[in-house]
Amino acid sequence: MDDEVVSARGLRMRYGTKDVLEGVDLSVGRGEVVALLGPNGAGKTTTIEILEGFRDRSAGEVTVLGHDPASAPESWRAGIGIVLQSWRDHRRWRVRDLLVHLGDYYRPYGTPGRPRPRDVDELLATVGLDDSADQLLMRLSGGQRRRLDVAIGIVGRPELLFLDEPTAGFDPEARRDFHDVVHSLVDLEDTTVVLTTHDLSEAEKLADRILILAGGRIVADGSPDALARQVAGRAEVRWSRGGERFVHAADDATAFVRELLQHDDEVTDLEVRRASLEDTYVRLVHQHEQGHEPSTQDERVGGAVR
Amino acid sequence: MTTTTSGTAPSRSVGRLPAPVAHAVRVGARRGVTEFRISLRNPEDLMFYLGWGGGVLLYLVLNRDALVEGTSITVPALAMPGLLAAMLVFGGVLGPAFALVLEREDGTLLRAKAAPHGMTGYVSGQVVLQALGMLPMLAVILLPSVLFLGVDMHRGLVGWLALTATLALGLVATLPIGMVIGSVARKPNQVSTWGMLPVLAMGAVSGIFVPLTQLATWMQVVGQVFPMYWLGHVMRWAFLPEEASVLEPGGEWRILEAVGVLGLWTAVGLLLAPRVLRRMARRESGSAVEARKQERMQRIG
């Protein structure tokens, strides 16, 4: 890739005798939004913390914005934004004071094309905190606190933004606002985004590309659409006849439906359902946990598996 | 300001620090001022200042006419300089120690670590905060003593300069030690065990309330190893008449020795602190903070 912002080759992480990452390869290009999906304990947070330079790795080559995160100079941090979890830090500070203070660290790293830090008033408006600028952090609601976490993550106008479970605890409106913020960062400032999430619909809405991490490896890599096709190529056709429901998994749904309707006038409630990203995800993760034997679980959720 | 492409540090330097480091120190200094202003608005912090300072002041007021045995020096005149030294060590060691362990737990340090030279800024902020934190105590203990309790500064202007220099040297000698304790401790109660208890013990053998000469010999020896006695020694030299030296071990003022011992503690602290701080900061990550949060909730719940 020409403009590679993140790359990892053979990334391994071992805690004691347990291998959490068993050779992760990944690559993220400039301006891409990549979601890292995976069940709990699959190593998402470990991976992202290694990329952030917050954690040492056991083996493998990692380059982020041209540096190995384990030995990168402090100036490297200026190009990276991290949306951390909400804790109880800076409880007695006011929202604006904290943003001004943390933004100040980035001042020496501004360029004409990428002025740093971001203007704090504009930033407050962007994340919808303009009315809470003089509020003490301890008086913010959970949702407001999370918006502030996002604001802190982007105050330095990062080239690469890490989001670890960014919308956990968001209400639907806050979630949509957050998605708008991410889209504008990517469209207007060419920001590269790497996020982890549990939320498949979020990954589908935000990500250009999805990486599924299971059993310490990347088991799937592609656009949400391609992933859905790649693993579960079949579609599910459902219909009713005489009050009875029928389900059929077809490789070529169009041909099947044409055939079905030609020979049967009593078909009603026809429904064709493409395999969704969720089907793919559940199936892949399940395969990994169970060895490669598809089971009844797949039938029920995936629908397209024999 | 030097313009840069990302990933390269600006090359302009201020003094001997590279420009970005100097910038972070200034940002951190402003942080310290903000934190101090916040603490002045905070009732709990004010109660702390007034409670300790007020308690000490009450002791001085109650003994305002008492004379130290065998001398014409009043108890407040002898005790006040030593109490300033005790306060200085108490704040200088425990202030940053508790701050570091608590702010590591609540995620403040990780936020600093995520910014370029943010740890430099954080540590600078702590130094400024702890230095400014001396002011309310000085206001509560020193001012009333001089204004109303007849405690004189016998060496006049030289004495005031010596007092200022001693406060500065005391901070330089104690803050790094406090930061080492705060970095090594995993929980706040370990700071109590490894920071608070030793400092209180130091107070008992440093000739604060009772002249060191009236203690057992071994206590005198132990006391003279640590900074508190020597800070008090220089302050007594500044405040008291020349002949008060009879109350010091050896019977004379030993300013050079004092500076030497304090310098030694400073050197040890400055040698250790950056390494220990770096090691501690390197281990900070989101999951480390999260794990401590879980642990803390179990501890409390």
Side-chain angles (χ1 to χ4, degrees), chain A residues 122-143:
Chain A
E122 281 172 28
L123 179 57
L124 286 167
T126 302
V127 299
L129 278 179
D130 15 13
D131 292 337
S132 311
D134 295 317
Q135 197 67 257
L136 294 178
L137 262 64
M138 66 172 93
R139 300 212 201 290
L140 296 182
S141 71

Side-chain angles (χ1 to χ4, degrees), chain A residues 65 75-83 98-111 113-120 123 127 148-161 185 189 191, chain B residues 4 6-7 111 114-116:
Chain A
L65 286 178
S75 55
W76 174 78
R77 290 246 161 254
I80 289 181
I82 299 173
V83 173
L98 184 60
L99 282 174
V100 168
H101 165 63
L102 292 174
D104 246 359
Y105 283 113
Y106 298 85
R107 201 169 296 281
Y109 307 94
T111 62
R114 210 170 253 281
R116 287 173 170 144
R118 218 177 272 277
D119 180 88
V120 167
L123 179 57
V127 299
L148 176 62
D149 294 326
V150 173
I152 293 172
I154 62 176
V155 70
R157 215 181 289 272
E159 291 157 68
L160 170 61
L161 180 63
L185 287 175
E189 299 178 7
T191 311
Chain B
T4 59
S6 79
R111 291 230 189 259

Side-chain angles (χ1 to χ4, degrees), chain A residues 4 13 33 42-43 52 101 109 115 127 138 142-143 165 176 191-192 198 241 262 267 283 300:
Chain A
E4 204 175 40
M13 187 70 205
V33 179
E52 289 166 348
H101 165 63
Y109 307 94
V127 299
M138 66 172 93
E165 305 283 347
R176 208 185 51 219
T191 311
T192 309
H198 274 113
R241 190 204 294 125
Q262 253 171 19
V267 170
R283 175 146 187 253
R300 188 174 59 75

Side-chain angles (χ1 to χ4, degrees), chain B residues 42-55 90-91 94 133 137:
Chain B
N42 186 274
E44 284 167 36
D45 286 21
L46 282 180
M47 280 304 290
F48 176 81
Y49 293 138
L50 296 177
W52 278 95
F90 209 78
L94 298 181
M137 295 293 239

Side-chain angles (χ1 to χ4, degrees), chain A residues 49 55 74 89 104 111, chain B residues 4 6 23 30 111 117 287:
Chain A
E49 285 187 351
R55 188 177 281 275
E74 282 287 312
D89 63 296
D104 246 359
T111 62
Chain B
T4 59
S6 79
H23 175 81
R30 285 198 289 274
R111 291 230 189 259
H117 292 290
S287 40

Side-chain angles (χ1 to χ4, degrees), chain A residues 76 87 171-172 186 196 248:
Chain A
W76 174 78
W87 291 302
D171 60 38
V186 174
T196 70
H248 178 82

Side-chain angles (χ1 to χ4, degrees), chain B residues 157-178:
Chain B
L157 183 62
V158 174
W160 287 112
L161 290 177
L163 173 67
T164 312
T166 313
L167 287 170
L169 186 55
L171 282 173
V172 178
T174 54
L175 289 177
I177 304 288

